[in-house]
Amino acid sequence: MEFTDREFRNALGLFPTGVAIVTTIAPDGTKVGMTVSSFNSVSLSPPLILFSVGRSAKAFNVWGAAETYAVCLLREGQEELASHFARSSNDKWVGLEPMVHNGFLHLPGALAWLDCDSYARHEGGDHLILIGRVRAITVADEEVHSRPLVFYKGRYRRLETVPA
């Protein structure tokens, strides 16, 4: 390779992404969640999404075995929540009360929630790629007035409307 890990990361940072928190419940009942920007759609039929989890993540084994999970698509103003779930910590849920919707953990205030069944797992270098089949979608009532939280060049950003 003729580039460093930092150069690679900086180049990828030029591509803005939305921000999501994925949640699941471990077999022992522990709530697990992490912030991801490596989230995207895979297929419309069947409805598939993907995200990845780093092998160094504390809950890597939980994610590697998770049979179901929810994806909470974050809105502007949820930067603190995104940063909170991006940390490697055992107390991510202290002071937070998720909404439990059909057995899935939904974080309040998101734009939308995608409830997924595990569909496939793939090796991805220092990450595991998780593909989920979307079982249900819940869109926030006020979504029409909200904008997504965006990550660009290592920072949370806000969208600006371009005149038509």
Side-chain angles (χ1 to χ4, degrees), residues 2 4-6 25 27 43 58 68 70 72 76 78 80 89-91 112-113 120 129 131 151 158 160:
E2 297 185 21
T4 66
D5 289 351
R6 173 54 33 199
I25 301 173
S43 168
K58 280 186 174 184
T68 61
C72 307
E76 285 182 353
Q78 292 189 301
E80 187 175 319
S89 167
N90 291 331
D91 65 349
W113 302 267
I129 301 165
I131 298 178
F151 197 72
R158 294 177 182 248
E160 183 176 319

Side-chain angles (χ1 to χ4, degrees), residues 97-158:
E97 193 58 43
M99 303 176 296
V100 179
H101 182 76
N102 294 327
F104 292 88
L105 299 175
H106 289 186
L107 290 167
L111 290 172
W113 302 267
L114 308 174
D115 299 337
C116 302
D117 292 325
S118 179
Y119 183 82
R121 295 172 179 88
H122 298 284
E123 298 299 318
D126 60 1
H127 279 65
L128 178 66
I129 301 165
L130 301 170
I131 298 178
R133 183 180 182 129
V134 179
R135 175 196 316 188
I137 300 168
T138 307
V139 177
D141 292 337
E142 63 276 3
E143 184 275 330
V144 71
H145 303 292
S146 301
R147 295 188 288 189
L149 181 58
V150 177
F151 197 72
Y152 173 68
K153 285 187 159 183
R155 295 182 56 198
Y156 297 115
R157 308 290 180 147
R158 294 177 182 248

